[in-house]
Amino acid sequence: MIFGVDMKIRSTSTVSKEAYIRYCPPGDYDDLTKHIREEEGLFPGAPIIQIDNFESVMSDTSIYIRHNVENWRKYAEFKIRCYTNLQHPLKFIDIEAEMFENYIKVCGPLDKCETY
């Protein structure tokens, strides 16, 4: 289990894994948000987090992310977009997520997700 100020990661695997998690660099963030704003009329509602070896990490992992959404019940069930390559922003995976009073729960495995 990994803890951070705003994120907790819980794995059901007994095999030790390394996961590198970081905020998206400003240049990459700007390029991605510009593209999806122009192409789809969307704008990210949260920081973009990069996870190396994403598919392996999400195969048996739950991620809990703190939020401060006041009317969280309105968004209790939703999907998070996961881009596997920031150079191709129209190619992404939708992962089902659940919002609770203080956190968002994102679960693998990815084989249950929609790919675009």
Side-chain angles (χ1 to χ4, degrees):
M1 201 178 298
I2 299 172
F3 292 95
V5 174
D6 294 323
M7 186 180 301
K8 177 172 57 170
I9 298 175
R10 180 174 295 152
S11 176
T12 58
S13 175
T14 57
V15 178
S16 179
K17 294 183 190 181
E18 287 188 359
Y20 295 100
I21 301 171
R22 65 187 166 278
Y23 286 110
C24 185
D28 292 345
Y29 182 91
D30 293 342
D31 291 345
L32 178 66
T33 56
K34 179 182 177 193
H35 185 81
I36 62 174
R37 184 175 56 244
E38 290 173 356
E39 295 294 322
E40 300 181 69
L42 300 174
F43 191 82
I48 297 173
I49 299 168
Q50 292 180 324
I51 302 174
D52 287 348
N53 201 12
F54 180 74
E55 289 84 2
S56 175
V57 170
M58 290 305 296
S59 66
D60 60 0
T61 301
S62 298
I63 297 177
Y64 299 84
I65 306 166
R66 256 187 7 181
H67 72 77
N68 61 356
V69 176
E70 191 170 310
N71 190 8
W72 63 271
R73 284 184 179 90
K74 181 178 177 181
Y75 308 101
E77 293 181 15
F78 65 101
K79 294 180 181 180
I80 291 181
R81 251 188 202 190
C82 300
Y83 298 91
T84 55
N85 184 338
L86 295 181
Q87 305 306 314
H88 302 283
L90 295 179
K91 188 174 181 179
F92 58 88
I93 300 167
D94 270 346
I95 298 178
E96 291 188 18
E98 294 179 83
M99 187 176 298
F100 299 92
E101 185 175 5
N102 297 314
Y103 64 92
I104 297 167
K105 180 181 178 184
V106 183
C107 294
L110 295 179
D111 60 354
K112 295 181 181 178
C113 301
E114 296 176 38
T115 302
Y116 298 91

